[in-house]
């Protein structure tokens, strides 16, 4: 989902959440802005990416049955470094 949204704005990203977490400029969690990407823990490291939309909420591709959804920023565990990336 995030890959498609960013491509729509002419921003190319790697395919996986883990690879996406290595590009862009890290910002502190208290400085995130709408459009920043947040990365979440998976079973072997970073496994999921969301896009911050403001007011403590993110939009993301949840799963095939629920599709694209809006969740609280803390709906699951942020990656250990708790970085977001301003691409």
């Amino acid at each position: 989902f995030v890959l498609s949204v960013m491509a729509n704005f002419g921003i190319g990203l790697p395919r996986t959440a883990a690879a996406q977490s290595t590009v862009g400029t890290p910002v502190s969690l208290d400085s995130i802005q709408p459009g920043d990407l947040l990365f979440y823990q998976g079973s072997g490291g970073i496994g999921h990416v969301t896009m911050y939309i403001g007011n403590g909420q993110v939009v993301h591709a949840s799963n095939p049955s629920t599709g694209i959804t809006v969740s609280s920023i803390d709906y699951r565990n942020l990656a250990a470094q708790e970085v977001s990336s301003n691409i």
Side-chain angles (χ1 to χ4, degrees):
F1 170 72
V2 167
L3 187 67
S4 296
V5 170
M6 296 305 246
N8 191 53
F9 290 96
I11 299 169
L13 290 176
R15 188 184 70 78
T16 67
Q20 289 172 16
S21 73
T22 67
V23 299
T25 304
V27 296
S28 65
L29 197 55
D30 61 351
S31 297
I32 58 175
Q33 299 291 316
D36 286 349
L37 306 182
L38 287 98
F39 301 94
Y40 294 81
Q41 289 292 91
S43 59
I46 293 173
H48 192 64
V49 60
T50 67
M51 184 176 292
Y52 187 64
I53 58 173
N55 296 321
Q57 295 186 309
V58 295
V59 62
H60 60 107
S62 179
N63 62 52
S65 62
T66 57
I68 307 304
T69 189
V70 173
S71 300
S72 170
I73 197 171
D74 60 357
Y75 82 104
R76 66 191 278 192
N77 293 329
L78 283 163
Q81 66 269 35
E82 293 189 357
V83 300
S84 58
S85 184
N86 187 1
I87 307 282

